[in-house]
Amino acid sequence: MTVRTPVYVHASDPILRTGLAAALRGQPGMLVVDHAAVDGSVIGVLAAERMDDEVTAELRKLHATGCHRVVLVVTKIDSVDLPEAVDLGVCAVVRRGEASAEHLADVVGRAARGEAALPPEMLARLLKQVARMQRNMISNGAGFNGLSRREADVLRLVSQGLETKDIATRLSYSERTVKNVLHDVTSRFHLRNRSHAVAYAMREGLI
């Protein structure tokens, strides 16, 4: 029997919500559930024009139900919005223009496996922003600590969208070692998952 990933779809626009739910129902391995069934096993899909107060409020509601893995489908999102979004459970961002049924189902599946997914150009802008912050902190005499070189290397590759197998190959580690490194980081800093760990490390200037 095929195990299906439970997904809750929310959008303030009922037509958009109905369309996304129908698209996901048509994909193998997806099980669309209603709000009453939302818990820690459910992947949230939240669609909106952009990250605003309404979206933030809905993310907080989902977070309160135990839904800590959310795919955000937006027309536009600024890099400065990402850290707060990740704190509220967003582990992937899909642009509305690229949200085909197949692509969205693939991203939901990756979220269910604890992986993060950001559009390349968005990740590039975020990394540039973090690099500027790091240079400013260094010029002010601040230093960075808290991560070993191995932990920082693993998180950098996670931030680039690489999966566990690819990270292991790139760094010549076993997949088990990569998983252990991520587990150690998330446990030590009391983080929820690998995408939260990347956001935390970037915000604190650790990578």
Side-chain angles (χ1 to χ4, degrees):
M1 182 176 179
T2 302
V3 176
R4 294 191 291 174
T5 300
V7 185
Y8 169 69
V9 178
H10 175 84
S12 57
D13 180 347
I15 295 177
L16 176 59
R17 180 173 65 248
T18 300
L20 287 175
L24 286 171
R25 285 194 186 97
Q27 294 300 303
M30 298 288 108
L31 174 64
V32 178
V33 302
D34 59 26
H35 188 271
V38 175
D39 59 19
S41 68
V42 173
I43 305 300
V45 173
L46 179 56
E49 281 294 322
R50 62 179 300 151
M51 185 81 177
D52 55 20
D53 291 342
E54 182 180 348
V55 172
T56 300
E58 186 60 33
L59 285 172
R60 293 187 188 282
K61 290 178 183 177
L62 286 175
H63 196 269
T65 67
C67 180
H68 296 163
R69 293 172 294 176
V70 179
V71 176
L72 190 60
V73 181
V74 289
T75 301
K76 182 179 180 180
I77 184 170
D78 295 325
S79 298
V80 294
D81 295 326
L82 283 177
E84 180 181 13
V86 171
D87 279 341
L88 293 173
V90 172
C91 59
V93 176
V94 177
R95 295 194 182 283
R96 284 179 59 173
E98 301 171 355
S100 66
E102 294 81 5
H103 179 53
L104 188 55
D106 176 66
V107 173
V108 168
R110 292 175 63 181
R113 296 191 295 272
E115 299 171 10
L118 290 176
E121 73 280 3
M122 186 181 300
L123 179 59
R125 289 200 307 270
L126 180 60
L127 291 175
K128 288 179 181 178
Q129 179 185 8
V130 172
R132 286 196 299 269
M133 292 171 58
Q134 289 180 329
R135 288 194 295 269
N136 290 338
M137 292 178 69
I138 291 173
S139 66
N140 291 329
F144 306 119
N145 52 49
L147 291 179
S148 68
R149 175 173 295 180
R150 181 169 68 173
E151 290 170 339
D153 288 342
V154 169
L155 287 179
R156 284 193 189 94
L157 294 178
V158 171
S159 74
Q160 295 171 23
L162 273 68
E163 298 185 12
T164 300
K165 179 176 65 176
D166 300 319
I167 294 171
T169 300
R170 183 76 64 86
L171 298 178
S172 298
Y173 296 155
S174 68
E175 290 186 44
R176 183 180 183 84
T177 295
V178 173
K179 291 177 180 178
N180 286 342
V181 167
L182 291 169
H183 178 268
D184 290 344
V185 172
T186 54
S187 297
R188 189 163 74 249
F189 293 105
H190 306 290
L191 305 169
R192 290 186 300 276
N193 50 45
R194 62 174 64 189
S195 57
H196 194 192
V198 168
Y200 172 84
M202 286 181 169
R203 189 167 58 248
E204 298 299 317
L206 299 174
I207 62 173

